Amino acid sequence: MRSDAVKKGMQQAPHRSLFNALGFTEEEMKKPLIGVVSSYNEIVPGHMNLDKIVEAVKMGVAMAGGVPVVVPAIAVCDGIAMGHVGMKYSLVTRDLIADSTEALAMAHQFDGLVMVPNCDKNVPGLLMAAARVNIPTVFVSGGPMLAGRVKGCKTSLSSMFEAVGAYAAGNLTEEEVLEYENKTCPTCGSCSGMYTANSMNCLTEVLGMGLKGNGTIPAVYSERLKLAKHAGMQVMKLLELNIRPRDIMTEKAFLNALTVDMALGCSTNSMLHLPAIAHEAGVELNVDIANEISSKTPNLCHLAPAGHTYIEELNEAGGVYAVMNELNKKNLLYTDLITVTGKTVAENIKGCVNKNPEVIRPIENPYSQTGGIAVLKGNLAPDSGVVKRSAVAPEMMVHEGPARVFDCEEDAIAAIKGGKIVAGDVVVIRYEGPKGGPGMREMLNPTSAIAGMGLGSSVALITDGRFSGASRGASIGHVSPEAAVGGPIALVEEGDIIKINIPENTLNVDISDEEMERRRAAWTPREPKITTGYLARYASMVTSGNRGAILEIKK
């Protein structure tokens, strides 16, 4: 056993004395040591139930003959961090989580791990750590929140943000906003639409790192506790079979994840996280391949914010495996890959039928013949920009209009809520990328303000920052290279005509090459916004969004 390095032999007598201090028995010292990485805290609604999940995991590990040991991982609530300096600290936690989990696992020589994440950067951060440490590992998330209900209609967090925009436009009263406030988030769990947390928990199933239902069983269901017990038992099976994360997270597994991503219409943040996780697994995943996969992958789900169905309904319709089974009808997946079940993808999804064709469209009748995410390129985004195509109004799939340029999110929000943005405009928010932010803030506030003010089908938004999975509309993020390194988005001027063509995957500013070069020659880098602490270190190492905002040591 790997943990023998801290348990066996005369040299380890001092180590054993410390295990005695922990109350370990001789019997426990002979068993595999399983780290249970708990993201529990009392500030993230998606994590407040993780203490119960962790206890269930511990029971499963113990029942299967292991010794569970709980260790921590941090997590940020993107909703609470949204729209202020706190959002600079969201994406950057992905690497803190990966680093700290790697450190804990290596320092204490665990034999296996059960990861218990739930929200946004917590899931990819732990997947990155799993790939680095590469010991038998199973994931079990805390599960999604149930949808809220306002005036007889289901709601989710995006409804809440849009209600604020509607209030600013005079379309909702303060009392009506208060009703949304009190009813939109009715239970613990990750927010109820196909936002980033649920996207990544669903894709964890597709990658083969989570058991069936990991992404969809609601947080408040007892079935979630059963899943956690099974995860605890399953890590012991993986230990017996010596199946490790890098055996599972292969190049073909990531291609499967991109394919299901397109079918589900996941958050554009998946285009940041999948390449970063792949990088840690020794797989180079270029986001350019997304359009190739999208061209042959039908979009089968319109979950909130793209439509009016929620994760709880996806669960009832058969979950992620049912979506995979639909895709497999056209042989769009690699099905011979091993997973944490100890079985192949084909064995996992066999018999998982689509129980609701209104929630999961049959592959013969999709929402569209192409996937839910598109990667755009052009003279405004030479490397790439990303848009959630399935959440764009048909009339905005091709759009051109004058640039309204802002150098930070706050200025853009003030202009939107002040009525200074009109139909046809293209809002450009720059210097909010991984390096320029620093931290690549999400832009849910401006997109929600645009939608709430009735401009969602007439105004586009472009940024080198990123968008919450709760954003909808012609919202193009991850524009690379970012402004802070002199990308073309830094050279756009007020009134320039921006041309967006999502079907043709293009994003251009209507100026000549000569004019672009003139502006480039006149451009000077900005002084860093933050020069001390973790954000400064992060900014010095981070790459642009097209590479997953991974950290690189400069040589």
Side-chain angles (χ1 to χ4, degrees):
M1 287 186 291
R2 188 167 179 266
S3 60
D4 286 349
V6 295
K7 294 190 304 186
K8 277 194 173 182
M10 185 54 66
Q11 286 294 113
Q12 279 65 46
H15 305 69
R16 289 194 298 274
S17 72
L18 293 169
F19 278 103
N20 284 332
L22 290 166
F24 273 58
T25 65
E26 288 184 20
E27 292 81 2
E28 286 175 307
M29 294 291 285
K30 295 174 183 176
K31 295 179 179 181
L33 204 60
I34 305 299
V36 181
V37 183
S38 171
S39 304
Y40 169 77
N41 62 50
E42 294 183 344
I43 191 63
V44 184
H47 290 226
M48 63 177 286
N49 66 319
L50 294 192
D51 55 341
K52 307 294 189 300
I53 302 296
V54 166
E55 287 303 313
V57 168
K58 289 173 64 178
M59 187 174 291
V61 170
M63 285 192 294
V67 178
V69 180
V70 178
V71 294
I74 65 167
V76 162
C77 176
D78 277 22
I80 294 174
M82 194 72 64
H84 56 89
V85 69
M87 183 44 70
K88 294 179 183 289
Y89 287 88
S90 170
L91 179 61
V92 305
T93 63
R94 188 184 70 181
D95 296 276
L96 280 175
I97 291 161
D99 292 349
S100 61
T101 303
E102 173 195 1
L104 279 167
M106 297 302 293
H108 302 104
Q109 292 293 288
F110 294 130
D111 296 297
L113 296 168
V114 181
M115 306 293 201
V116 189
N118 210 25
C119 290
D120 292 20
K121 314 312 163 296
N122 194 240
V123 184
L126 290 179
L127 283 165
M128 290 163 68
R132 285 186 200 172
V133 177
N134 201 34
I135 59 176
T137 302
V138 179
F139 277 67
V140 55
S141 77
M145 184 184 293
L146 294 178
R149 286 185 180 272
V150 176
K151 295 181 172 64
C153 296
K154 287 188 175 180
T155 62
S156 58
L157 187 64
S158 51
S159 313
M160 184 69 252
F161 277 88
E162 289 178 18
V164 174
Y167 173 78
N171 296 326
L172 282 181
T173 65
E174 187 173 345
E175 290 74 20
E176 288 172 317
V177 173
L178 183 61
E179 184 177 7
Y180 274 96
E181 184 179 326
N182 288 328
K183 295 181 178 179
T184 291
C185 299
T187 72
C188 63
S190 48
C191 296
S192 57
M194 187 52 84
Y195 308 151
T196 304
N198 293 326
S199 294
M200 294 310 302
N201 282 323
C202 287
L203 294 181
T204 298
E205 283 190 58
V206 183
L207 282 171
M209 291 299 294
L211 302 177
K212 180 185 178 184
N214 177 70
T216 60
I217 298 170
V220 294
Y221 283 14
S222 299
E223 189 181 354
R224 174 65 54 181
L225 297 176
K226 294 180 182 179
L227 182 73
K229 291 175 186 176
H230 283 130
M233 289 186 270
Q234 192 60 27
V235 75
M236 298 303 296
K237 187 70 174 176
L238 293 179
L239 192 59
E240 176 189 332
L241 298 172
N242 195 28
I243 296 174
R244 300 169 182 248
R246 288 195 179 202
D247 300 325
I248 295 167
M249 290 194 285
T250 62
E251 182 178 5
K252 289 181 178 179
F254 284 102
L255 295 178
N256 278 353
L258 278 174
T259 299
V260 179
D261 191 336
M262 296 298 171
L264 284 172
C266 290
S267 163
T268 52
N269 279 313
S270 62
M271 293 292 103
L272 279 176
H273 299 322
L274 288 175
I277 299 160
H279 177 74
E280 298 292 353
V283 175
E284 290 307 310
L285 188 68
N286 191 323
V287 295
D288 290 353
I289 201 172
N291 287 338
E292 179 186 334
I293 291 174
S294 178
S295 69
K296 58 186 179 184
T297 306
N299 178 227
L300 305 181
C301 299
H302 267 194
L303 297 149
H308 300 288
T309 53
Y310 297 81
I311 301 296
E312 63 196 72
E313 289 157 305
L314 177 61
N315 186 62
E316 292 161 8
V320 174
Y321 280 11
V323 175
M324 294 174 74
N325 219 6
E326 286 291 339
L327 294 172
N328 200 39
K329 290 177 182 177
K330 289 194 175 180
N331 299 314
L332 294 175
L333 298 174
Y334 296 100
T335 59
D336 59 343
L337 311 180
I338 197 67
T339 70
V340 292
T341 65
K343 300 176 182 178
T344 64
V345 171
E347 291 173 303
N348 287 344
I349 67 176
K350 184 179 180 181
C352 295
V353 298
N354 180 1
K355 299 174 184 177
N356 189 339
E358 297 301 314
V359 177
I360 305 171
R361 287 278 186 93
I363 200 162
E364 301 81 12
N365 179 36
Y367 282 102
S368 66
Q369 292 295 337
T370 52
I373 291 177
V375 174
L376 311 184
K377 286 193 173 186
N379 71 349
L380 187 51
D383 290 337
S384 67
V386 178
V387 64
K388 189 170 184 176
R389 173 165 44 194
S390 59
V392 178
E395 56 268 39
M396 291 297 289
M397 296 295 281
V398 178
H399 178 77
E400 64 178 78
R404 306 298 309 280
V405 182
F406 304 93
D407 287 348
C408 67
E409 177 187 8
E410 288 83 357
D411 290 351
I413 292 171
I416 295 165
K417 291 186 175 179
K420 296 178 181 178
I421 302 301
V422 300
D425 284 348
V426 178
V427 176
V428 177
I429 306 177
R430 61 193 181 190
Y431 294 101
E432 290 284 9
K435 189 178 294 290
M440 203 179 189
R441 288 196 286 181
E442 285 185 343
M443 303 290 166
L444 181 56
N445 272 355
T447 59
S448 298
I450 288 169
M453 296 186 76
L455 297 170
S457 59
S458 61
V459 168
L461 196 156
I462 297 171
T463 182
D464 53 5
R466 60 195 177 92
F467 293 108
S468 164
S471 293
R472 61 186 176 98
S475 304
I476 301 165
H478 310 186
V479 169
S480 303
E482 62 174 293
V485 297
I489 192 171
L491 311 178
V492 175
E493 295 181 357
E494 187 82 6
D496 284 346
I497 299 301
I498 306 291
K499 294 185 174 182
I500 301 165
N501 192 318
I502 295 173
E504 293 186 4
N505 303 314
T506 60
L507 177 62
N508 290 289
V509 54
D510 191 17
I511 61 175
S512 66
D513 293 345
E514 292 76 16
E515 175 62 14
M516 184 75 83
E517 287 308 311
R518 184 192 68 77
R519 294 182 187 182
R520 191 184 310 280
W523 178 82
T524 55
R526 294 192 161 209
E527 289 295 317
K529 295 178 182 176
I530 295 175
T531 57
T532 60
Y534 178 58
L535 287 180
R537 295 199 303 275
Y538 180 88
S540 72
M541 299 173 67
V542 72
T543 63
S544 281
N546 66 301
R547 297 186 56 201
I550 62 173
L551 302 186
E552 281 189 335
I553 300 171
K554 292 182 179 179
K555 297 180 181 178

